[in-house]
Amino acid sequence: MNFLAHLYLSGDSEKVRVGNFIGDYVKGKKYEKYHPEIQKGIILHRNIDHFTDKHPLVLDSSKKLKEGYGRYSGVVVDLIFDHFLAKYWQDYHRLPIKDFVTNSHEALIKNYLLLPNKVKLFLPFLIQSRRLESYANIDGLQTALDIMARRTSLPDNSVYAIKSLEDNYSDFENKFKLFMKDILKYVSNEHHINVATPNGWHPNEGK
């Protein structure tokens, strides 16, 4: 899962949300220097990544991107799933996405001095561009892929990624919706995280 999903799966705790957001940038045992709730978020992030990377629905989705992304295809699936989460946000959270993203920005700014240096560098642009909300649009998703290609080892192949998404849109969407049920059950049952789902819906009750 990518930034939006990690924040979403953090529940109500501000510091768990911060830890989950920075999880990729805290290696090894360095997490131990943080506040216990931030530690919890970092560990949650790692476990969500492990659960996601091994999930059959994610692995199957990755196959559609192998030609253009090889071993990085799972990273692109993460972003595609964030696209669907943003697009169908009202089905998954009580707060409007604009309010949720604003609250998340405020939590990160409040804890700015604790953030890893790499996060400090990109956070102002992420906030200014409202990038997490922009995932809901295909253009916003492509921009995110282009940014990642410039700043990471992700191949610069966003045109291929968008065409693959558009050619298999219903299949990606259906797999995302099935996967969300599983990941929500996982964070609820294994990590005791309660996401503010709409209408009191609980992942163990089905949807």
Side-chain angles (χ1 to χ4, degrees):
M1 309 300 279
N2 206 256
F3 285 135
L4 182 62
H6 276 291
L7 290 167
Y8 168 75
L9 294 168
S10 298
D12 296 329
S13 169
E14 173 186 291
K15 292 197 179 299
V16 170
R17 195 177 294 188
V18 170
N20 205 343
F21 185 83
I22 67 174
D24 278 336
Y25 303 90
V26 181
K27 305 302 182 183
K29 292 189 175 182
K30 290 183 179 180
Y31 75 95
E32 294 176 349
K33 72 178 183 179
Y34 290 94
H35 182 282
E37 284 292 288
I38 294 181
Q39 290 186 32
K40 181 179 178 181
I42 294 168
I43 296 301
L44 175 63
H45 180 107
R46 294 176 181 181
N47 289 340
I48 287 171
D49 280 356
H50 180 77
F51 180 89
T52 301
D53 291 345
K54 301 296 184 183
H55 198 285
L57 290 167
V58 175
L59 293 172
D60 193 51
S61 296
S62 297
K63 292 176 183 177
K64 294 180 172 60
L65 297 158
K66 286 286 186 184
E67 183 179 341
Y69 283 97
R71 64 190 179 94
Y72 295 97
S73 58
V75 176
V76 183
V77 173
D78 288 345
L79 275 163
I80 288 173
F81 278 16
D82 259 22
H83 159 67
F84 288 117
L85 179 58
K87 181 177 179 179
Y88 296 112
W89 182 265
Q90 69 278 3
D91 294 337
Y92 292 99
H93 205 281
R94 295 174 200 166
L95 280 181
I97 189 171
K98 181 178 180 180
D99 294 342
F100 178 87
V101 170
T102 296
N103 290 348
S104 297
H105 289 167
E106 290 173 351
L108 292 165
I109 292 169
K110 182 177 176 181
N111 293 274
Y112 186 81
L113 294 178
L114 302 175
L115 303 179
N117 287 333
K118 287 185 178 180
V119 178
K120 288 178 180 176
L121 289 174
F122 72 72
L123 184 63
F125 176 74
L126 182 140
I127 291 174
Q128 184 179 17
S129 65
R130 306 289 296 193
R131 194 197 311 168
L132 301 181
E133 292 168 73
S134 77
Y135 290 156
N137 304 309
I138 295 293
D139 288 346
L141 174 62
Q142 185 164 3
T143 297
L145 287 164
D146 289 337
I147 291 169
M148 288 188 68
R150 290 197 299 270
R151 297 183 178 178
T152 72
S153 54
L154 185 74
D156 186 5
N157 213 355
S158 65
V159 173
Y160 166 84
I162 297 303
K163 186 177 189 308
S164 298
L165 172 60
E166 291 174 339
D167 289 348
N168 301 277
Y169 200 84
S170 295
D171 187 63
F172 277 119
E173 181 179 310
N174 290 334
K175 286 183 170 61
F176 160 77
K177 290 179 177 179
L178 291 170
F179 175 75
M180 284 301 293
K181 293 180 181 180
D182 288 349
I183 192 69
L184 280 165
K185 286 179 184 178
Y186 172 73
V187 298
S188 175
N189 295 340
E190 301 299 326
H191 293 275
H192 310 293
I193 297 290
N194 293 313
V195 176
T197 49
N199 303 319
W201 169 71
H202 189 276
N204 289 324
E205 298 171 357
K207 187 176 179 185

